[in-house]
Amino acid sequence: MAEFLGSMLDATRADLNAAYRSKHNGGRREIDLHRGALRLTDEALAELRSHIEQLATRFGDRDAPGVWTRVVIAVVDLQDRLSPDAPA
């Protein structure tokens, strides 16, 4: 799994580097990169995942006109979650 994730991050890094090189050389590439931390309950995490899925479905038409755009979203817990039956 670590090798697979490393490959994904390497590919994303290559995409970002290529886009920034193109911009530097006068090309037009749109690049947005966000990193932050959110405190999410189990319910909020489920809702976030649902919204991401809805966005992927809404914009995922491979036959639509436009520019191919890579989208990478990582939702990673930074700490262990309590089990659902653990006391609050």
Side-chain angles (χ1 to χ4, degrees), residues 36-52:
L38 306 170
R39 291 184 65 91
L40 299 173
T41 62
D42 287 344
E43 294 79 15
L45 177 60
E47 185 176 346
L48 177 60
R49 286 180 170 154
S50 174
H51 284 297
I52 292 169

Side-chain angles (χ1 to χ4, degrees), residues 61-76:
D61 181 357
R62 293 179 146 316
D63 296 325
V67 174
W68 282 105
T69 304
R70 176 99 51 223
V71 178
V72 178
I73 300 170
V75 179
V76 181

Side-chain angles (χ1 to χ4, degrees), residues 2-87:
E3 286 183 29
F4 171 72
L5 293 173
S7 295
M8 287 186 62
L9 293 174
D10 288 343
T12 300
R13 183 182 306 116
D15 288 341
L16 288 166
N17 285 335
Y20 277 109
R21 276 193 306 275
S22 177
K23 283 180 74 110
H24 179 63
N25 292 326
R28 179 171 174 236
R29 300 270 184 107
E30 298 296 329
I31 305 163
D32 289 298
L33 183 62
H34 303 277
R35 186 171 189 269
L38 306 170
R39 291 184 65 91
L40 299 173
T41 62
D42 287 344
E43 294 79 15
L45 177 60
E47 185 176 346
L48 177 60
R49 286 180 170 154
S50 174
H51 284 297
I52 292 169
E53 181 62 33
Q54 289 172 14
L55 287 170
T57 300
R58 178 177 169 196
F59 294 103
D61 181 357
R62 293 179 146 316
D63 296 325
V67 174
W68 282 105
T69 304
R70 176 99 51 223
V71 178
V72 178
I73 300 170
V75 179
V76 181
D77 281 343
L78 300 178
Q79 65 190 79
D80 290 338
R81 290 182 175 269
L82 295 175
S83 67
D85 56 343

